[in-house]
């Protein structure tokens, strides 16, 4: 009888303890919490046909990885601030922010009817959701940047050093070579080509296609390492 009484008391104690823990923990408490940097809003990659890009890649002229001859790259060779290349009254930054936004809040400013103030974007390079409430605040403005997919210094090395200043300014403002992306990720990419930097796997096909389209459109060359990397990325198409 003593053993049964002890066992019964133990069961009661365990039940009470479980009830107390359930009061302490919220109902939806997760078993494991991931760090914010691991929480992404990665969209499903859209199917992209890489067959034309493969043909265009094969047709690009070949250049040495660090060609001799061109003068040192200077950013100002491609112009200064963002331009209004399409004459809609807005500079290319506002055009790209509007084009790439999931949700956006704008206001008219001068001739521009979409001065971008706030919004939500999905960073194509990481898949993260980027939400900004005041893009006139410098810190927030730096956190979303407009990236030249083919960097200006890469263009310089692969043919743009021989262009006229006007053609270089046009390249710097080419909407087809611009994406709204996460600022820190863009800084980590710097001026690397695909042999030195790649986005997440789900975007590598689209990235390679855009890179090749840009180099084809502007008659730029590619080096051997870059060409190999682009071929690997097209394998995700």
């Amino acid at each position: 009888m003593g053993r049964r009484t002890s066992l019964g008391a133990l069961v009661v104690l365990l039940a009470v303890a479980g009830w107390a823990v359930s009061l302490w923990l919220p109902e939806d408490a997760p078993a494991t919490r991931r760090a914010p940097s691991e929480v992404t809003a990665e969209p499903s990659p859209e199917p992209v046909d890489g067959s034309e890009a493969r043909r265009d890649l094969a047709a690009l002229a070949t250049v040495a990885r660090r060609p001799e001859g061109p003068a040192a790259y200077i950013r100002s060779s491609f112009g200064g601030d963002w331009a209004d290349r399409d004459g809609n009254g807005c500079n290319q930054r506002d055009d790209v922010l509007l084009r790439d936004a999931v949700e956006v809040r704008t206001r008219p400013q001068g001739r521009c009817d979409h001065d971008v103030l706030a919004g939500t974007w999905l960073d194509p390079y990481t898949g993260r959701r980027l939400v900004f409430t005041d893009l006139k605040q410098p810190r927030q403005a730096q956190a979303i940047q407009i990236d030249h997919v083919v960097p200006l210094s890469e263009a310089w090395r692969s043919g743009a050093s021989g262009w006229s200043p006007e053609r270089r300014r046009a390249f710097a403002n080419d909407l087809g070579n611009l994406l709204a992306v996460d600022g820190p990720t863009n800084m980590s990419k710097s001026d690397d080509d695909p042999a030195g930097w790649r986005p997440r796997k789900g975007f590598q096909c689209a990235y390679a296609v855009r890179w090749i389209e840009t180099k084809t459109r502007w008659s730029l060359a590619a080096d051997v390492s870059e060409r190999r990397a682009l071929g690997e990325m097209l394998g995700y198409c």
Side-chain angles (χ1 to χ4, degrees), residues 22-34:
S22 68
L23 287 179
W24 178 72
L25 287 173
E27 291 184 3
D28 58 350
T32 303
R33 298 189 65 179
R34 297 190 296 174

Side-chain angles (χ1 to χ4, degrees), residues 19 36 39 53 111 135-136 194:
W19 174 77
V39 179
R111 291 183 54 242
L135 288 178
K136 300 307 175 184

Side-chain angles (χ1 to χ4, degrees), residues 145-162:
Q145 298 180 6
I146 307 304
D147 180 40
H148 292 93
V149 175
V150 175
L152 301 183
S153 61
E154 166 64 27
W156 179 268
R157 289 191 297 267
S158 55
S161 61

Side-chain angles (χ1 to χ4, degrees), residues 13 17 55 58 75 78 92 126 144 167 175:
L13 286 172
R55 291 192 294 271
R75 172 63 179 84
F78 288 83
Q92 303 302 74
T126 64
I144 182 166
R167 182 169 173 81
L175 290 174

Side-chain angles (χ1 to χ4, degrees), residues 73-212:
Y73 161 74
I74 302 174
R75 172 63 179 84
S76 59
S77 298
F78 288 83
D81 296 336
W82 292 112
D84 173 18
R85 300 297 299 188
D86 53 11
N88 67 353
C90 304
N91 64 39
Q92 303 302 74
R93 175 179 169 83
D94 279 320
D95 283 350
V96 175
L97 288 174
L98 179 67
R99 181 197 68 191
D100 294 353
V102 176
E103 298 175 348
V104 68
R105 180 163 58 87
T106 66
R107 70 178 178 189
Q109 185 178 55
R111 291 183 54 242
C112 178
D113 65 357
H114 55 263
D115 179 32
V116 178
L117 302 177
T120 301
W121 289 262
L122 286 178
D123 173 37
Y125 291 168
T126 64
R128 294 194 184 99
R129 184 176 293 271
L130 309 176
V131 180
F132 301 103
T133 57
D134 183 7
L135 288 178
K136 300 307 175 184
Q137 201 267 340
R139 235 172 131 181
Q140 292 194 39
Q142 280 299 309
I144 182 166
Q145 298 180 6
I146 307 304
D147 180 40
H148 292 93
V149 175
V150 175
L152 301 183
S153 61
E154 166 64 27
W156 179 268
R157 289 191 297 267
S158 55
S161 61
W163 293 350
S164 68
E166 176 55 32
R167 182 169 173 81
R168 286 197 289 264
R169 283 193 294 270
F171 178 83
N173 289 276
D174 176 17
L175 290 174
N177 189 41
L178 300 177
L179 288 176
V181 303
D182 174 60
T185 302
N186 188 39
M187 298 298 288
S188 71
K189 173 193 170 183
S190 187
D191 62 352
D192 281 339
D193 70 3
W197 184 92
R198 302 183 192 187
R200 62 186 171 91
K201 287 184 179 180
F203 192 66
Q204 286 192 22
C205 168
Y207 184 84
V209 168
R210 187 178 290 257
W211 182 286
I212 294 165

Side-chain angles (χ1 to χ4, degrees), residues 201-224:
K201 287 184 179 180
F203 192 66
Q204 286 192 22
C205 168
Y207 184 84
V209 168
R210 187 178 290 257
W211 182 286
I212 294 165
E213 286 176 348
T214 298
K215 286 219 161 179
T216 299
R217 186 165 62 251
W218 291 91
S219 300
L220 294 170
D223 66 64
V224 174

